[in-house]
Amino acid sequence: MTHPQPFVLRDNDTGGTTYTIGELAREFGITTRAIRFYEDEGLLSPQRVGSKRLYRRRDRARLKLILRGKRLGFTLAEMREAFELYDEAHGEARQLKYYLSVLEEKRAQLLQQRQDLEETLEELEQSYSHCRQLLETQERQGKATEEKDLPAPRSSTGT
Amino acid sequence: MTHPQPFVLRDNDTGGTTYTIGELAREFGITTRAIRFYEDEGLLSPQRVGSKRLYRRRDRARLKLILRGKRLGFTLAEMREAFELYDEAHGEARQLKYYLSVLEEKRAQLLQQRQDLEETLEELEQSYSHCRQLLETQERQGKATEEKDLPAPRSSTGT
DNA sequence: AAAAAGGTTGACGTATACGTAAACGGTAAC
DNA sequence: GTTACCGTTTACGTATACGTCAACCTTTTT
C-alpha cells in the first residue's frame, strides 16, 4: 500500500486529485480571499508548490465542512477547535474523553437548533397558506385589478 | 369588541400583561442593551410610559422570534424585513404576493439548513460511537493508567 | 516583448451585533 | 436626604468574517 511509487512525478502530480485556490473558489462560490482567510485562522493548511497553494482532497473536504458549519451558525474559531480536537484525539484516553464531551455539547446545540428550525418551518408554512387563502378570496372578489406578479412592491412615492 | 373600556386605568395598567425591559432581559437571558439595540434596528417598538419602555405581549412574542431567528442565523436586518412585510401585507394583493415569494425563499433556506443539520448530526454521532469504541478498546488493554475525567487536557507545557 | 490570467503578501476598510462606560433622571427604602 | 436600584441617551470600543485595493510574481498566450 505505501510502497514508493514507481512513477516519475510530472510537474504538478502529487499523487492524487488536487485543486488550485481558484478552482475551489469557483466550485464553492466563494472568493479566494475567504479561502486564504480560513487558512490564516488555522482551518486549512494546504501544501505549497513554490509560492502557490495546492489543495488536496482532505482540504476540499474541510472546506466543505467549513461552509456547512457556517450555514449552521458555527464560528470559524469553533470549527478550528473541532478540527484540532479531531486531529489530536487519535490516541490518548484523556483527549478522547474530552472530545466526547465536546461532541455531546455540539449535539445538544444542534438538537436545539433542529427544534427551532421545525418550529419556524411550521409557522412559516401556516403563514404561507393563510396568505394564499387571503389572496384567493381577494381574487374571487376583485377581478378588475391590474398589475400582477410585481417583484418588489414597496413604497412608490419615494425621493 | 372595540368599545371604550369602562374602567379607570390605574397608573401602570394598560389593559394587558406588560413587562419592563429588565424583566424581559432576565427572562430571555440577554442584556437590556441588546433589547434597546433591537429597537434601534426597527425590530421592536414598545410603548412609552414617561421615558420608560413598556413591553406588551406582542413585543415579547417578537423578541422570542428574534432570538430564535438569531439561533437560526438570520440577521437582524432580515428579520426586520420580515416583520415589516408581515405588518404591511394585510391587504393588497401585490404585497401579499411579494410576501409569499419571500416566504418561499426563506423556506428553501430553512430546508437547506435542515439538510445541513441532519448531515452534521449523523456525522457527529458516527464520530461519537467511533470514539467510544476506541476508548473501550484502550480501557481493556491499559488498566494501569491514572488520571481520569480531566476536563480540558490541552497542552501542559505552556508558558 | 507585451499583455492577459492566474497567484502571492500586506494593509486598511466595513457590516453586524452588541459591550462598556459616562452621565443623568425617577422613586422606593432606610 | 442619601443610598440603591432601575431606567434613559450618547458615544466610543470590539470581535467576526471577510471585501477591497495595492504592488508584486509567474506562466501562458499573442
Side-chain angles (χ1 to χ4, degrees):
Chain A
M1 297 253 289
T2 55
H3 65 83
Q5 284 186 256
F7 309 109
V8 176
L9 297 180
R10 285 181 321 164
D11 230 35
N12 262 349
D13 191 340
T14 56
T17 321
T18 63
Y19 314 84
T20 71
I21 195 172
E23 285 168 1
L24 285 184
R26 250 165 283 142
E27 177 176 359
F28 290 108
I30 59 182
T31 64
T32 60
R33 175 71 181 88
I35 298 181
R36 287 193 207 97
F37 183 72
Y38 299 151
E39 183 178 345
D40 288 344
E41 295 297 301
L43 287 155
L44 294 173
S45 40
Q47 309 278 124
R48 290 291 182 129
V49 176
S51 69
K52 308 204 164 152
R53 292 165 172 84
L54 196 154
Y55 299 86
R56 311 181 64 169
R57 287 205 324 283
R58 170 205 166 89
D59 300 309
R60 182 169 169 275
R62 288 227 156 162
L63 184 50
K64 232 178 193 169
L65 282 179
I66 293 170
L67 297 179
R68 200 175 64 185
K70 283 199 58 187
R71 288 196 299 269
L72 292 176
F74 291 108
T75 69
L76 297 186
E78 284 172 321
M79 294 191 282
R80 185 193 52 216
E81 270 281 308
F83 290 160
E84 286 174 358
L85 283 176
Y86 179 80
D87 289 341
E88 293 171 10
H90 285 307
E92 305 113 79
R94 281 161 51 197
Q95 298 276 9
L96 279 175
K97 282 184 181 175
Y98 179 56
Y99 189 44
L100 279 176
S101 73
V102 172
L103 285 182
E104 277 178 31
E105 198 182 307
K106 296 286 178 197
R107 197 178 101 95
Q109 196 176 332
L110 289 177
L111 290 181
Q112 161 72 48
Q113 202 167 337
R114 183 159 72 177
Q115 178 80 10
D116 287 336
L117 215 157
E118 299 297 345
E119 286 177 17
T120 305
L121 265 175
E122 258 188 52
E123 290 181 16
L124 197 145
E125 268 154 22
Q126 280 180 17
S127 200
Y128 189 84
S129 49
H130 178 229
C131 258
R132 294 236 345 211
Q133 280 191 1
L134 275 182
L135 253 183
E136 280 178 29
T137 311
Q138 281 206 359
E139 282 180 353
R140 261 194 295 278
Q141 290 180 343
K143 285 270 184 182
T145 325
E146 288 174 16
E147 289 175 327
K148 293 189 174 186
D149 299 318
L150 277 164
R154 311 304 298 273
S155 81
S156 50
T157 56
T159 53
Chain B
M1 296 254 287
T2 55
H3 65 84
Q5 283 187 255
F7 308 111
V8 177
L9 297 180
R10 285 181 321 166
D11 228 37
N12 263 350
D13 191 341
T14 56
T17 320
T18 63
Y19 314 85
T20 71
I21 194 171
E23 286 168 1
L24 285 184
R26 250 165 282 142
E27 177 177 358
F28 291 107
I30 59 182
T31 65
T32 60
R33 175 69 180 91
I35 298 181
R36 286 194 208 96
F37 183 72
Y38 299 152
E39 184 178 345
D40 287 345
E41 296 297 301
L43 288 155
L44 294 173
S45 41
Q47 309 278 124
R48 290 291 183 129
V49 176
S51 68
K52 307 200 167 156
R53 291 165 173 83
L54 196 154
Y55 299 86
R56 311 181 64 168
R57 289 205 322 284
R58 170 205 167 89
D59 300 309
R60 181 168 168 275
R62 288 226 156 161
L63 185 50
K64 231 177 192 169
L65 282 178
I66 292 169
L67 298 178
R68 200 175 62 185
K70 283 200 57 186
R71 288 196 298 270
L72 292 175
F74 291 108
T75 68
L76 297 186
E78 284 173 321
M79 294 191 282
R80 184 194 51 216
E81 270 282 307
F83 290 159
E84 286 175 358
L85 283 177
Y86 179 80
D87 289 341
E88 292 171 12
H90 286 307
E92 305 114 80
R94 281 161 51 197
Q95 299 276 9
L96 279 175
K97 282 183 180 173
Y98 180 55
Y99 188 44
L100 280 176
S101 73
V102 171
L103 285 182
E104 278 177 30
E105 198 183 306
K106 296 286 177 194
R107 197 178 101 96
Q109 198 177 331
L110 288 177
L111 291 181
Q112 161 73 48
Q113 202 168 337
R114 182 160 71 178
Q115 177 80 9
D116 288 337
L117 215 157
E118 299 297 344
E119 286 176 17
T120 305
L121 264 175
E122 258 188 51
E123 290 179 16
L124 198 147
E125 268 154 23
Q126 281 178 18
S127 199
Y128 189 84
S129 48
H130 178 230
C131 258
R132 294 238 343 214
Q133 280 190 1
L134 276 181
L135 253 183
E136 280 178 30
T137 311
Q138 282 205 359
E139 282 180 353
R140 260 194 294 279
Q141 290 179 344
K143 284 273 186 182
T145 325
E146 286 174 18
E147 290 175 326
K148 294 188 175 186
D149 298 319
L150 277 165
R154 310 305 297 273
S155 82
S156 49
T157 56
T159 53

